[in-house]
Amino acid sequence: MSWCIAADSSCNLRSFVPTAPETSFRLAPLKVHVGDREFVDDAQLDVAELTMAIAAEDTATSSSCPSIGEWAEIFRSADNIIAITISASLSGSYEAAQMARTMIMDEYVREHAGSIAGKNIYILNSRAAGGKLEVLVRLLDAYLKQPHAFEDVVAFIDHAEESSQVLYSLSRYENLVKSGRMPRGVGSIASKLNIRILGTASSEGTIKLIGSTRGEKKTINKIVDTMASNGFSGGSVSIDHRDNADGALGIKEAILQRWPMATVHIESCGGLCSYYAEESGLLIGYEWA
């Protein structure tokens, strides 16, 4: 039986190759709209070109979710599929994936004399974006190295989602404000005062502000302290950055100093996360159980 670990492109893994046997990894691309141009957030996207286009555009910009057809193509690719989406509170990706699942399961039943045996699709709402999805993908890949029943895999990934979190450390907020994902007054004040805001995901999957910091050292300390207060004790971490490799490395070093047994990966933001994280933004996903 073949497996596919799927995610939409709010997950910033672009060249990930699963280590589990008979397992593939697929991404459903979100899109960023800049003026009359559409940038598809896939492995071929030139993020620098996207960034320059956004900076030069005077009119509104926006993002959109993968289509039902794009999800359906992925769901046809394996016998067992676990798909992880950006928070359903932030995007229509989860809903599109659910509709694609219904379509593919109906298609499978017609082609197999009314039976669904041999085809399983599960859609997980990550209630986050960025690094949390990458943590979940890697945990799932490790779990699939051993054979498991599909329902056990679903139980595993549900528990992993409930036992993981994401932090957003941002210094620019224009696109979040424009999209309605951050109050305009909060973004305006933070920008004027040159404050870096630290946020996390609420239980509903929306962005919840934790506090603000000034200076790199205070920011890193706040991130590490927040992780500890959430129960992190040395598990898997994924740090995404928008043109801020030094900041990501500083967080990694602080994590390993405090929890030497932690596993920390650093990724560059793809198109969607670059659009919302903006200049020097950081997204830190981690699991604690």
Side-chain angles (χ1 to χ4, degrees):
M1 298 285 283
S2 59
W3 288 83
C4 176
I5 303 170
D8 60 42
S9 62
S10 68
C11 172
N12 291 301
L13 298 175
R14 294 296 182 268
S15 57
F16 178 75
V17 178
T19 57
E22 296 187 78
T23 301
S24 61
F25 175 66
R26 299 281 298 274
L27 280 178
L30 291 108
K31 291 89 180 174
V32 179
H33 304 275
V34 183
D36 59 357
R37 300 177 67 186
E38 178 181 80
F39 292 83
V40 179
D41 188 16
D42 57 17
Q44 286 71 52
L45 175 66
D46 186 332
V47 176
E49 181 183 357
L50 169 63
T51 301
M52 288 188 291
I54 293 171
E57 182 59 47
D58 294 328
T59 61
T61 57
S62 62
S63 62
S64 62
C65 68
S67 70
I68 297 170
E70 287 167 326
W71 276 119
E73 180 184 356
I74 292 172
F75 294 165
R76 292 188 183 101
S77 70
D79 302 314
N80 300 302
I81 297 100
I82 302 291
I84 306 170
T85 75
I86 188 174
S87 172
S89 297
L90 301 177
S91 169
S93 184
Y94 177 79
E95 182 179 357
Q98 289 285 12
M99 288 189 283
R101 180 192 183 279
T102 299
M103 183 176 77
I104 294 303
M105 295 305 294
D106 288 347
E107 178 184 288
Y108 187 86
V109 167
R110 290 195 302 270
E111 295 173 353
H112 293 81
S115 174
I116 62 170
K119 188 69 173 181
N120 299 289
I121 304 171
Y122 182 67
I123 318 296
L124 177 70
N125 173 14
S126 74
R127 299 185 296 168
K132 180 176 177 179
L133 279 78
E134 294 141 35
V135 167
L136 293 175
V137 166
R138 289 190 171 100
L139 290 173
L140 185 55
D141 177 40
Y143 188 72
L144 288 174
K145 288 181 181 180
Q146 299 297 323
H148 298 282
F150 190 79
E151 57 268 26
D152 293 334
V153 177
V154 169
F156 170 82
I157 199 62
D158 278 345
H159 176 74
E161 188 280 319
E162 293 169 357
S163 305
S164 55
Q165 185 55 287
V166 66
L167 295 173
Y168 308 103
S169 178
L170 309 176
S171 60
R172 298 289 185 273
Y173 320 99
E174 182 177 353
N175 292 331
L176 283 171
V177 170
K178 284 181 179 178
S179 65
R181 290 171 171 84
M182 177 179 284
R184 182 171 297 277
V186 173
S188 177
I189 292 171
S191 295
K192 289 179 180 178
L193 297 179
N194 195 27
I195 291 173
R196 180 173 279 273
I197 284 180
L198 185 65
T200 189
S202 70
S203 58
E204 296 81 20
T206 57
I207 297 174
K208 179 175 69 175
L209 301 184
I210 295 175
S212 60
T213 58
R214 287 178 182 268
E216 181 178 339
K217 185 175 182 179
K218 289 182 179 179
T219 297
I220 291 174
N221 288 340
K222 181 71 172 179
I223 289 169
V224 171
D225 288 344
T226 302
M227 292 172 66
S229 68
N230 282 345
F232 183 78
S233 59
S236 177
V237 183
S238 187
I239 305 170
D240 302 330
H241 69 91
R242 157 77 185 274
D243 296 328
N244 192 3
D246 288 344
L249 184 59
I251 296 169
K252 177 179 180 177
E253 291 172 347
I255 290 171
L256 292 176
Q257 182 176 5
R258 190 158 178 176
W259 299 287
M261 296 303 292
T263 302
V264 184
H265 299 271
I266 294 177
E267 307 288 343
S268 296
C269 285
L272 189 282
C273 287
S274 287
Y275 176 70
Y276 285 112
E278 300 192 58
E279 182 183 346
S280 78
L282 296 158
L283 299 82
I284 305 98
Y286 56 100
E287 53 96 14
W288 59 80

